[in-house]
Amino acid sequence: MNYIIGTYTRCIYNNEMNGYTVGNIKIKETDIENSANTILFVGTFADLKLTANYKMTGEITKHPKYGRQFVVSEYELLLPTKKDELIEFLSSDLFPIGEKTATKIVDMFGEDTLDIIINDRDKLQLIPRLSIKKIDKIYDILSNYKLSSGIVMELSSLGFSTKEALSIYKKYDSKSLDKINDNIYNLIDDFGYSFTNIDIIAKKLNIEDKDERRLEALIIHMFNDLTFNTGDTYLLFEDIYNYMINEIKDLDSETINYIILKLNTKNRIIIKEDKYYLKEFYEAEEYIIDRLCFLNDIENRKLPKLDEKIEELEKKNNIIYDDTQKEAIKKAINNNLTIITGGPGTGKTTIIKAIVSLFQTIFKAKVEDIALLAPTGRASKRMMETTNLPASTIHRYLGWDKERNMFSIDEYNPNPEKYIIVDEVSMLDTLLMEALLKGIRRDAKLILVGDYYQLPSVSQGQVLKDIIDSNMLDVVYLDYLYRQNEESYISVLANEIKNQELSENFIMKKDDYNFVECPNEQVLMTIENIVKKAIDKDYNDKDIQVLAPMYKSLNGIDNLNKVLQRLFNPPSKDKNELQVGDITYRIGDKILQLVNDNDNSVYNGDIGYITDILSSRVSNSKKNEIIVEYDDNNKVTYTPDKFINIRHGYAISVHKAQGSEFKMVIMPLVNNFNRMMYNKLLYTAVTRAKKSLILVGDRQSFIYGIRNNYVDNRRTTLKDMLIDRYN
């Protein structure tokens, strides 16, 4: 590490949001060899002042475009102490006085001038003809000047990063340290910091395990942690008690109950009989019920000659809709709320296309009147390809702000579309469903389409299942298999899995299906050979998707990805690589996005390809960079802090594949997967295959999974609320 002591002379670039600054510093002292008088510096700062003196610590680098520059890791403000420095400082553009007045001040107070002003501003009244207004301004500037730098340094010493320290200072200003000393755990809500990280810093402030502030934050953390892991929207006292005494051994139930009641008084936790909710989940379920019932209770229209319009559509598209499909289409046109459920091959896509077409012909709906939505990017793209109309992810439609973790479109600023069709609704969790209903017009016509038998949402809730299980809202069930013919077996198998009525045909090779039996230890090699043969037949990694239920173990996702990377994208001297832990990323690699990132228009489950890898020596950010291109030429740059958001996508989990379809799906079936293998997971995996499905491994594991009717019995109250509303 090198250091520079000098004067900040020029600001070239400053980002007010994150404090990133590029500027020049005139060097007074440094340990850098062959240093010029002035050098370009880059870094993250709080409130740098031109003409002020700083000590900066960092490293000299050579940027390919901008040349030699000093990358700052730490800095501190150096207030002047010598007479000539003090005069120069006080007569600078920062202060409302000239050199003559500055000289008078320094002559009177000497080298302690700045401390005297900060500690007792009234002493400036001893300076002739210095107005109270100017005295106040000198004091305020000097106080803020010293305070901002001091606070950021103090926050950094506690363990906050420079970026976090800047964010805290920008929000709390001079009260930053007071806010932290009052209750550091408030930063979890104010900034979205994790409980774990804040708790580490709290220990430095000598906050004890049983401090009420800590217990309140721990219980809220516990609610988020437990409900996310289970998918529940409420907990029982037993759940809370067991979690808390596991964290703090000698905690008693009375203390836990006391803290819960405090949180209830603060409206953070809602208590209904024996159920304990985080406020946001209770209110979300209530809001969903209110909005769905409002739409359902609006008097339905019965459009004349609708049958004729459907017949015209059949002739136009050379198709014949069955009675159930016609029922779904009619309800979507006549009703304000329509729920359609069906498995693969039952015509959901065909119906969506028909509904959109009739909206345009009957209601004269324009493109901008219709919103086609889905939880994932790939599912929305599929809607777009089917209807030839724009489609969007729900997060993008609602204007999700990653930094603030909230939507810009809400009940006070809803979107204007009149006709809303949402596909893959089984993937919607409670909070996303609430946000969607807040973001559309109150009188919008809403059509919810999904597969009841698919896996539930990753996050809390089971919206589609609860709505259908309540039997309170009108649901159209599509059950006829249109893909069922002599050449197609995938839909038949999916139906057999769903009904737990597996025929002996499942072991026989079909045109679009094959079960390759082999021992556990040969599964990886067998999949490797299958992929090699597929590559010889001109299949590529866009066509082939391997799905597995687990990341670890011999046949898990992590190992599969390493094998598949060697097949699809072997090492080459022409391709840059980057080692991240035990993963090697290479130009050309298939990549899976793990989280929603609205800023970059890339979403959980999206698949892209690495187009470039830049080392820290040549990248603009001075960090290693991985550039991934997704659909529609959308290139996203990942720096080390974002590497956690991606992983290889040759093999992915069944959950991550929801909402997607692939030309060929390959799935390992081994007995050490059994604890993860159950009916709905197999059903979801099988229904991802569009043209070809290959199962590899142990037939008994497959049979076990089909018979394992494990139901993710999530504790939610959406169903009961619907029943109560109508009863």
Side-chain angles (χ1 to χ4, degrees), residues 455-697:
L455 292 171
S457 59
V458 173
S459 296
Q460 295 92 330
Q462 48 185 11
V463 174
L464 183 66
K465 183 178 187 300
D466 280 347
I467 289 171
I468 292 174
D469 285 349
S470 73
N471 290 317
M472 291 293 114
L473 301 177
D474 203 358
V475 179
V476 181
Y477 297 86
L478 305 173
D479 49 21
Y480 183 79
L481 287 177
Y482 282 88
R483 291 187 200 162
Q484 185 172 355
N485 55 52
E486 292 178 5
E487 290 78 36
S488 175
Y489 180 70
I490 295 171
S491 297
V492 176
L493 179 62
N495 211 39
E496 289 181 355
I497 292 170
K498 180 178 72 176
N499 296 325
Q500 295 184 291
E501 296 173 349
L502 188 63
S503 66
E504 293 183 4
N505 283 340
F506 86 93
I507 206 68
M508 297 170 60
K509 191 176 186 300
K510 313 288 190 307
D511 288 344
D512 62 346
Y513 169 81
N514 195 10
F515 196 116
V516 182
E517 282 196 276
C518 62
N520 289 358
E521 61 273 13
Q522 292 180 19
V523 166
L524 199 64
M525 181 181 68
T526 303
I527 290 176
E528 185 176 3
N529 291 332
I530 290 168
V531 172
K532 283 179 181 175
K533 290 178 182 177
I535 292 171
D536 290 340
K537 294 179 180 178
D538 292 329
Y539 279 83
N540 57 43
D541 54 4
K542 291 183 180 178
D543 302 323
I544 301 170
Q545 188 59 61
V546 178
L547 302 180
M550 288 175 61
Y551 283 93
K552 304 303 176 185
S553 82
L554 173 66
N555 300 300
I557 292 167
D558 292 341
N559 252 0
L560 284 163
N561 268 318
K562 288 176 182 175
V563 170
L564 295 167
Q565 183 192 34
R566 288 199 303 269
L567 295 178
F568 287 116
N569 193 30
S572 167
K573 62 181 180 180
D574 300 325
K575 296 178 180 178
N576 284 351
E577 292 185 355
L578 180 65
Q579 193 71 28
V580 180
D582 64 343
I583 299 174
T584 302
Y585 288 109
R586 185 176 299 132
I587 289 178
D589 273 344
K590 183 178 184 179
I591 294 297
L592 174 73
Q593 172 76 11
L594 301 176
V595 297
N596 290 323
D597 181 355
N598 200 47
D599 292 345
N600 289 304
S601 299
V602 59
Y603 301 92
N604 183 6
D606 282 357
I607 290 176
Y609 289 84
I610 295 178
T611 58
D612 207 355
I613 292 176
L614 301 176
S615 73
S616 58
R617 296 190 304 276
V618 298
S619 71
N620 289 337
S621 68
K622 288 297 155 196
K623 299 174 182 176
N624 292 327
E625 292 181 354
I626 297 174
I627 293 90
V628 180
E629 183 173 333
Y630 295 91
D631 290 337
D632 304 320
N633 300 313
N634 177 29
K635 288 189 177 182
V636 179
T637 298
Y638 297 87
T639 47
D641 59 318
K642 298 291 190 295
F643 290 166
I644 195 173
N645 294 342
I646 58 173
R647 70 185 313 134
H648 280 123
Y650 302 106
I652 64 176
S653 70
V654 180
H655 282 87
K656 291 294 182 188
Q658 278 188 273
S660 302
E661 285 185 343
F662 308 97
K663 192 171 180 180
M664 176 187 287
V665 166
I666 303 171
M667 185 177 187
L669 298 163
V670 294
N671 52 32
N672 65 326
F673 285 173
N674 280 3
R675 65 188 178 88
M676 299 287 291
M677 202 78 76
Y678 57 99
N679 190 281
K680 275 195 173 184
L681 183 122
L682 285 173
Y683 174 83
T684 303
V686 164
T687 55
R688 300 311 91 203
K690 199 158 55 170
K691 299 286 185 184
S692 177
L693 172 67
I694 302 174
L695 304 178
V696 182

Side-chain angles (χ1 to χ4, degrees), residues 217-230:
L218 179 57
I219 283 180
I220 297 297
H221 168 71
M222 174 272 305
F223 263 91
N224 284 308
D225 191 24
L226 277 186
T227 58
F228 181 80
N229 289 332
T230 60

Side-chain angles (χ1 to χ4, degrees), residues 22 179 241 422 428 597 616 671 722:
V22 180
K179 288 277 189 182
Y241 175 77
V422 189
L428 266 64
D597 181 355
S616 58
N671 52 32
L722 257 175

Side-chain angles (χ1 to χ4, degrees), residues 53-243:
N53 292 320
Y54 292 92
K55 179 178 180 180
M56 298 180 178
T57 306
E59 292 181 348
I60 283 285
T61 62
K62 190 170 183 181
H63 191 279
K65 183 175 180 181
Y66 302 108
R68 201 165 185 244
Q69 58 186 27
F70 189 68
V71 180
V72 181
S73 55
E74 294 179 7
Y75 75 102
E76 62 177 300
L77 171 69
L78 298 178
L79 291 176
T81 55
K82 295 179 181 177
K83 183 176 179 180
D84 56 342
E85 290 176 346
L86 287 165
I87 292 170
E88 182 185 356
F89 177 60
L90 288 172
S91 59
S92 69
D93 292 340
L94 282 172
F95 297 94
I97 56 175
E99 186 176 345
K100 190 179 287 187
T101 305
T103 302
K104 289 178 182 178
I105 294 171
V106 175
D107 284 344
M108 180 168 288
F109 301 128
E111 292 184 353
D112 296 328
T113 293
L114 301 183
D115 287 335
I116 289 169
I117 294 172
I118 289 171
N119 292 326
D120 188 358
R121 79 171 89 184
D122 292 339
K123 286 191 175 179
L124 283 173
Q125 294 182 39
L126 298 172
I127 306 300
R129 292 187 293 280
L130 188 60
S131 68
I132 296 297
K133 186 176 180 181
K134 285 186 178 181
I135 289 172
D136 288 342
K137 190 155 190 183
I138 292 169
Y139 173 80
D140 289 342
I141 291 169
L142 195 55
S143 295
N144 290 332
Y145 190 76
K146 191 171 183 179
L147 187 65
S148 63
S149 181
I151 287 173
V152 170
M153 288 180 67
E154 180 73 18
L155 292 171
S156 297
S157 72
L158 286 173
F160 292 102
S161 68
T162 304
K163 185 177 180 181
E164 289 169 341
L166 283 168
S167 298
I168 293 167
Y169 178 73
K170 285 180 183 294
K171 183 175 182 68
Y172 296 148
D173 200 51
S174 61
K175 297 177 181 176
S176 295
L177 297 176
D178 291 337
K179 288 277 189 182
I180 285 171
N181 288 322
D182 179 51
N183 190 350
I184 188 173
Y185 293 100
N186 284 336
L187 272 64
I188 296 170
D189 292 329
D190 290 354
F191 298 94
Y193 298 151
S194 74
F195 170 85
T196 305
N197 290 342
I198 292 297
D199 203 40
I200 290 169
I201 297 172
K203 293 282 194 294
K204 295 180 183 178
L205 298 173
N206 298 316
I207 293 177
E208 296 180 354
D209 284 354
K210 292 184 181 179
D211 186 296
E212 286 188 13
R213 296 168 298 178
R214 181 177 187 271
L215 290 177
E216 287 183 28
L218 179 57
I219 283 180
I220 297 297
H221 168 71
M222 174 272 305
F223 263 91
N224 284 308
D225 191 24
L226 277 186
T227 58
F228 181 80
N229 289 332
T230 60
D232 299 338
T233 58
Y234 68 85
L235 299 176
L236 303 176
F237 185 80
E238 180 185 4
D239 306 318
I240 302 168
Y241 175 77
N242 289 336
Y243 186 103

Side-chain angles (χ1 to χ4, degrees), residues 259-381:
I259 298 296
I260 290 172
L261 291 174
K262 272 191 75 176
L263 288 166
N264 176 242
T265 303
K266 292 180 178 181
N267 204 26
R268 298 292 306 278
I269 288 175
I270 305 294
I271 304 171
K272 293 290 180 181
E273 298 174 345
D274 62 340
K275 300 178 179 68
Y276 296 78
Y277 304 77
L278 279 178
K279 175 194 173 189
E280 51 264 39
F281 287 104
Y282 182 79
E283 291 185 346
E285 289 191 330
E286 278 201 321
Y287 188 85
I288 291 168
I289 297 304
D290 286 342
R291 290 289 283 112
L292 291 180
C293 292
F294 173 81
L295 288 172
N296 190 59
D297 294 344
I298 296 175
E299 187 175 352
N300 296 328
R301 300 167 65 180
K302 291 204 173 177
L303 292 174
K305 300 183 179 179
L306 183 53
D307 288 325
E308 293 176 18
K309 294 289 183 184
I310 293 174
E311 284 179 21
E312 290 172 12
L313 196 59
E314 287 177 316
K315 290 176 184 175
K316 179 182 174 183
N317 295 326
N318 192 26
I319 193 172
I320 296 176
Y321 304 116
D322 68 27
D323 290 343
T324 310
Q325 288 179 314
K326 286 179 181 177
E327 179 192 4
I329 295 167
K330 287 178 185 177
K331 285 183 175 176
I333 299 302
N334 287 325
N335 300 358
N336 296 287
L337 175 65
T338 307
I339 299 149
I340 303 168
T341 185
T346 56
K348 296 193 300 295
T349 303
T350 301
I351 288 171
I352 289 173
K353 188 176 179 181
I355 292 166
V356 168
S357 182
L358 290 173
F359 281 160
Q360 292 175 313
T361 55
I362 294 175
F363 299 127
K364 308 300 180 190
K366 301 174 184 175
V367 171
E368 56 268 28
D369 294 329
I370 302 170
L372 303 178
L373 307 174
T376 69
R378 295 179 74 84
S380 65
K381 186 182 178 188

